[in-house]
């Protein structure tokens, strides 16, 4: 049963690639587009539906690509536009969609727009960024930037004796979206890539676009937080509607927003009416929670309350390029990381995988002298290169890599795990194969059927749960404890897949869960 009643992204699994860390073919220690082309067979075999590339545009790389100096070209360290076109064609040949990471809130200070804007007070592009008069000893407001934290979000520019706004590093000046010329120019950058066949965009810090025209202070009690986590104005919704209308000029594309707000209710507002703003927004509160049954019960209830009940599609992320990998966050235990995979791909909504989680990678140990992240190193560990092969270099065409490999890189390599049917990679492949064959798992709702003694279980179904009518019905059960547990009600169900290598497929579960086990099961036939 694989009928698709809705748009492709409703039933998709999206795989995030951090291009610098994926695979190097040029020998410079940094991953590149040809490396991604080489990795497409791995991705297609894994069984995901789309790839999202963190930024590949021309960039001085102060924030490793999130500082864009040309929105319509590929950075030479990644390759060329021809490589990009080939990547899109080869991905589409394998039924993989391609999503780009668009960074509209700020450009690089090396972008020609900013170079012009800062050149004089009467330059035609002066108003493309946020400039404020003043004196070097008087900040325009109390906002703080993200990189490095605890510093003001303003940089004094002696060329014209004025401040400019930067919510991230001083090399990432904020664009002024209140200026219609900025919006038109940015819309054209979307069309440039849509015309080349990309299937959508992940939109960086999209909630930050609309700045309060008064640029008023934030309340003193939250002034220590980076301002980017606090900005949430009505103006932004106007801009998001404009962005959506550009994307809607093309068929079948998706707008995914990074709404970096820490409350689901506020994130949900960026879906607009359901068809005029974002198609999908990351729901980060779930990612920041612990590995506990109660927390995941709250996540599922919150998804229902804020998204599903309003007709919005929920998203789920356990790991990305900005946070320690979930295996590391949850204590490093492989059994827990495997259980998390079974949970993630059994949740109702659109799951995002972060390249390397299918290998069960942990964060790399990055010594102080090797830190390259402008946030102060917090994000370097999760950006460690992907180990492809066993042995020195792990398949990278370079003696050194821009960050060290993660721990146990031989054992975790694609080569080692491909040959091992009990590997984490084999588990992900099995989960994704089952998911793609099950309407219940891809499209169904959920009903919680058990949530005590550290076990959370829910049932995914479409067409009712009466299996005599051929309905598709799957139980997802997660034992969050390191003890064996028994739970009632599903004694005669058969396992479809388990995080535990000792659980046989088609074994009657009998309500017994092994320590740290998560499984999917089907009703007796
Ligand atoms: O990771 C964070 C701080 O260390 C977050 O606050 C992060 O800055 C926030 O999620 C916004 O992230 C996005 O925009 C940044 C970029 O550095 C991140 O990689 C990107 O995901 C600026 O473009």
């Amino acid at each position: 049963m694989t009928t698709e009643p809705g748009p492709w992204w409703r039933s998709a699994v999206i795989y995030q690639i951090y291009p610098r860390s994926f695979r190097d073919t040029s020998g410079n220690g940094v991953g590149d587009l040809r490396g991604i082309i080489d990795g497409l067979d791995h991705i297609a075999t894994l069984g995901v539906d789309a790839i999202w590339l963190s930024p590949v545009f021309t960039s001085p790389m102060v924030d490793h690509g999130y500082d864009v100096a040309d929105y319509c070209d590929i950075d030479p360290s990644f390759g060329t536009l021809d490589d990009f076109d080939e990547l899109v064609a080869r991905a589409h040949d394998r039924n993989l969609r391609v999503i780009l990471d668009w960074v509209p809130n700020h450009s690089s200070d090396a972008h020609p727009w900013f170079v012009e804007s800062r050149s004089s007070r009467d330059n035609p592009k002066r108003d493309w960024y946020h400039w404020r008069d003043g004196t070097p000893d008087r900040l325009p407001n109390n906002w703080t930037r993200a990189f490095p934290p605890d510093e003001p979000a303003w940089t004094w520019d002696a060329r014209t004796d004025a401040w400019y706004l930067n919510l991230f590093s001083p090399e990432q000046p904020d664009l002024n979206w209140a200026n219609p010329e900025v919006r038109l120019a940015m819309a054209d950058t979307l069309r440039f890539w849509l015309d080349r066949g990309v299937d959508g965009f992940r939109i960086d810090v999209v909630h930050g676009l609309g700045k309060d025209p008064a640029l008023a202070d934030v309340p003193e009690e939250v002034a220590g937080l980076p301002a980017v986590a606090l900005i949430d104005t009505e103006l932004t919704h106007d801009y998001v509607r404009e962005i959506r209308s550009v994307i809607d000029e093309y068929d079948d594309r998706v707008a995914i927003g990074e709404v970096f707000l820490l409350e689901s209710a506020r994130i949900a507002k960026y879906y607009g009416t359901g068809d005029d703003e974002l198609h999908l927004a990351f729901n980060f509160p779930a990612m920041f929670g612990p590995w506990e049954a109660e927390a995941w019960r709250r996540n599922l209830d919150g998804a229902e309350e804020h998204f599903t009940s309003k007709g919005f599609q929920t998203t789920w992320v356990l790991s990305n390029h900005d946070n320690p990998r979930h295996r590391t966050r949850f204590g490093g235990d492989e059994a827990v990381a495997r259980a998390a995979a079974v949970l993630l791909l059994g949740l109702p909504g659109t799951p995002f995988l972060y390249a390397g989680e299918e290998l069960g990678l942990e964060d790399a140990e990055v010594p102080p002298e090797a830190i390259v992240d402008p946030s102060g190193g917090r994000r370097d560990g999760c950006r460690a290169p992907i180990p492809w092969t066993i042995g020195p270099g792990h398949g990278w065409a370079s003696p050194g890599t821009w960050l060290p490999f993660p721990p146990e890189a031989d054992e975790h390599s694609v080569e080692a795990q491909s040959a091992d049917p009990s590997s984490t990679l084999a588990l992900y492949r099995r989960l994704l194969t089952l998911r793609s064959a099950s309407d219940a798992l891809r499209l169904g709702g959920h009903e919680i059927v058990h949530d005590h003694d550290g076990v959370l279980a829910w049932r995914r179904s479409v067409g009712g749960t009466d299996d005599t009518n051929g309905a598709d019905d799957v139980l997802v059960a997660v034992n969050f404890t390191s003890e064996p547990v028994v739970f009632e009600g599903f004694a005669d169900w058969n396992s479809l897949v388990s995080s535990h290598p000792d659980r046989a497929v088609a074994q009657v579960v009998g309500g017994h869960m092994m320590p740290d086990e998560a499984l999917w099961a089907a009703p007796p036939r």
Side-chain angles (χ1 to χ4, degrees), residues 302-427:
E304 183 65 32
E305 178 186 350
H306 299 295
F307 302 101
T308 318
S309 65
K310 298 179 178 143
F312 306 156
Q313 173 82 352
T314 308
T315 64
W316 301 99
V317 183
L318 288 180
S319 290
N320 67 19
H321 65 298
D322 285 337
N323 295 284
R325 287 181 177 276
H326 64 267
R327 174 159 178 190
T328 300
R329 285 203 317 277
F330 296 154
D333 189 342
E334 187 178 6
V336 172
R338 290 171 63 104
V342 176
L343 169 141
L344 173 67
L345 293 168
L347 290 166
T350 300
F352 286 76
L353 306 183
Y354 176 49
E357 79 176 70
E358 79 277 23
L359 305 174
L361 297 187
E362 292 185 78
D363 281 13
E365 296 277 346
V366 181
E369 66 279 9
I371 287 175
V372 289
D373 171 20
S375 87
R378 206 179 56 79
R379 306 177 300 176
D380 283 332
C382 68
R383 297 174 177 180
I386 303 291
W388 290 89
T389 58
I390 301 167
H394 302 298
W396 281 58
S398 37
T401 48
W402 76 293
L403 282 168
F405 281 99
E408 298 170 340
D410 279 342
E411 293 87 322
H412 284 119
S413 66
V414 175
E415 181 184 1
Q417 296 201 39
S418 291
D420 175 2
S422 66
S423 66
T424 298
L425 176 57
L427 172 66

Side-chain angles (χ1 to χ4, degrees), residues 18 52 54 63 66-67 101 103 106 146-147 168 172 202 204-205 207 226 228-229 258 260 284 320-323 373-375 378-379 383:
Y18 195 71
W52 142 36
S54 278
D63 192 13
Y66 286 93
D67 48 321
D101 202 321
V103 189
H106 45 270
F147 308 145
F168 293 91
Q172 293 165 292
R202 177 265 190 194
D204 194 60
V205 289
H207 66 290
V228 65
E258 189 210 22
F260 193 72
F284 286 135
N320 67 19
H321 65 298
D322 285 337
N323 295 284
D373 171 20
S375 87
R378 206 179 56 79
R379 306 177 300 176
R383 297 174 177 180

Side-chain angles (χ1 to χ4, degrees), residues 7-266:
W8 64 268
W9 43 264
R10 274 199 179 260
S11 57
V13 178
I14 301 177
Y15 181 86
Q16 179 190 1
I17 293 176
Y18 195 71
R20 293 177 69 82
S21 303
F22 194 66
R23 187 171 182 143
D24 174 27
T25 61
S26 70
N28 64 354
V30 169
D32 46 48
L33 295 180
R34 301 221 69 85
I36 299 174
I37 293 172
D38 287 353
L40 285 176
D41 283 335
H42 166 70
I43 298 166
T45 311
L46 181 61
V48 297
D49 304 283
I51 54 175
W52 142 36
L53 312 184
S54 278
V56 289
F57 314 115
T58 312
S59 167
M61 301 288 166
V62 170
D63 192 13
H64 306 305
Y66 286 93
D67 48 321
V68 178
D70 184 347
Y71 287 94
C72 298
D73 207 350
I74 299 291
D75 191 81
S77 63
F78 292 130
T80 63
L81 274 172
D82 284 345
D83 295 330
F84 181 78
D85 291 341
E86 188 178 333
L87 168 57
V88 173
R90 298 261 192 106
H92 285 171
D93 288 345
R94 290 167 174 81
N95 286 325
L96 290 167
R97 314 247 178 184
V98 180
I99 296 165
L100 284 184
D101 202 321
W102 187 59
V103 189
N105 178 69
H106 45 270
S107 72
S108 161
D109 64 344
H111 196 295
W113 298 341
F114 188 72
V115 173
E116 277 196 51
S117 182
R118 82 185 329 181
S119 66
S120 73
R121 284 172 175 256
D122 53 10
N123 183 279
K125 293 212 166 47
R126 183 64 169 182
D127 185 49
W128 282 40
Y129 294 83
H130 296 276
W131 292 98
R132 286 295 178 275
D133 289 336
T135 54
D137 56 348
R138 254 185 96 94
L139 287 157
N141 69 18
N142 69 349
W143 295 6
T144 55
R145 69 194 197 212
F147 308 145
D150 304 324
E151 300 278 338
W154 294 93
T155 299
W156 179 254
D157 198 38
R159 284 178 189 74
T160 54
D161 284 337
W163 294 97
Y164 66 84
L165 177 67
N166 53 274
L167 294 184
F168 293 91
S169 74
E171 293 84 2
Q172 293 165 292
D174 281 53
L175 281 157
N176 177 14
W177 273 72
N179 183 324
E181 290 175 11
V182 168
R183 303 206 297 277
L184 287 173
M186 290 303 285
D188 280 344
T189 70
L190 288 174
R191 292 189 187 98
F192 178 87
W193 297 104
L194 290 163
D195 287 338
R196 291 190 111 84
V198 309
D199 298 286
F201 298 93
R202 177 265 190 194
I203 310 178
D204 194 60
V205 289
V206 65
H207 66 290
L209 299 183
K211 270 71 175 189
D212 158 26
L215 293 175
D217 279 354
V218 294
E220 215 38 62
E221 61 274 18
V222 291
L225 290 174
V228 65
L230 304 169
I231 293 175
D232 183 16
T233 71
E234 280 308 315
L235 269 176
T236 301
H237 294 278
D238 294 340
Y239 307 150
V240 177
R241 280 188 286 272
E242 281 185 35
I243 293 166
R244 172 64 182 266
S245 70
V246 174
I247 290 171
D248 282 350
E249 291 167 14
Y250 299 75
D251 289 336
D252 236 12
R253 314 297 165 105
V254 68
I256 307 166
E258 189 210 22
V259 179
F260 193 72
L261 296 170
L262 302 179
E263 289 164 40
S264 299
R266 292 168 74 192

